[in-house]
Amino acid sequence: MALAERLEQGAQALVAFARALSDAQWHARVPGDGRTVGVVVHHVASVYPVEIQLAETLAAGLPVTGVTWDVIHTMNAGHARENATVTREETVELLERNSHAAAMAIRALSDDDIARAAPVSLYGDAPLTCQFMLEDHAVRHSYHHLSRLRKLALA
């Protein structure tokens, strides 16, 4: 399935990027964000299960409730505090493991599952498809952060 392949490609690109960083780059703070590069990469790895769970909720025809940007910001801040000293090795392993599991979960969805829509609290309860949720979150996530992190590494 193309969605799973795109997720895997993004994760592989992020893994390659993380492995190529110097220790100073790994520990550098991301301007305007405050987290270190390593914590941001770990963040991507750690939220795949949540992103897949949200998509699977929509695939089941159920609404996504209680998810707001405030909840996400609080979750991200807690993750940054709890993982401030994360190592590259454990992060790369988590990124590989969770991206593989996410891709397998996507492959397990039927075409009907992918097309199913339900209200999503994060988007004002707009009825959104499972495909949209996957593309906007799990599939896009590594590409989104990788683009920003590459700019930082090249600066």
Side-chain angles (χ1 to χ4, degrees), residues 33-119:
D33 183 302
R35 296 177 288 181
T36 65
V37 170
V39 167
V40 170
V41 175
H42 192 274
H43 154 78
V44 173
S46 68
V47 297
Y48 279 125
V50 173
E51 293 167 330
I52 294 299
Q53 180 185 20
L54 295 175
E56 289 173 336
T57 299
L58 293 174
L62 300 172
V64 172
T65 61
V67 179
T68 65
W69 285 112
D70 286 342
V71 168
I72 290 172
H73 294 313
T74 299
M75 181 182 76
N76 289 346
H79 171 268
R81 280 190 306 277
E82 294 165 13
N83 294 280
T85 60
V86 69
T87 68
R88 182 187 343 252
E89 296 76 23
E90 67 185 296
T91 299
V92 166
E93 190 277 326
L94 183 66
L95 182 56
E96 290 175 330
R97 184 177 70 242
N98 283 354
S99 65
H100 175 74
M104 295 303 293
I106 292 170
R107 287 186 176 99
L109 296 169
S110 70
D111 289 345
D112 287 342
D113 292 336
I114 294 287
R116 200 163 286 120

Side-chain angles (χ1 to χ4, degrees), residues 133-151:
M133 184 62 76
L134 287 169
E135 288 180 332
D136 197 45
H137 294 278
V139 173
R140 180 183 74 93
H141 209 166
S142 57
Y143 294 99
H144 165 74
H145 284 294
L146 181 58
S147 174
R148 294 181 66 212
L149 295 176
R150 279 185 176 147
K151 289 176 188 171

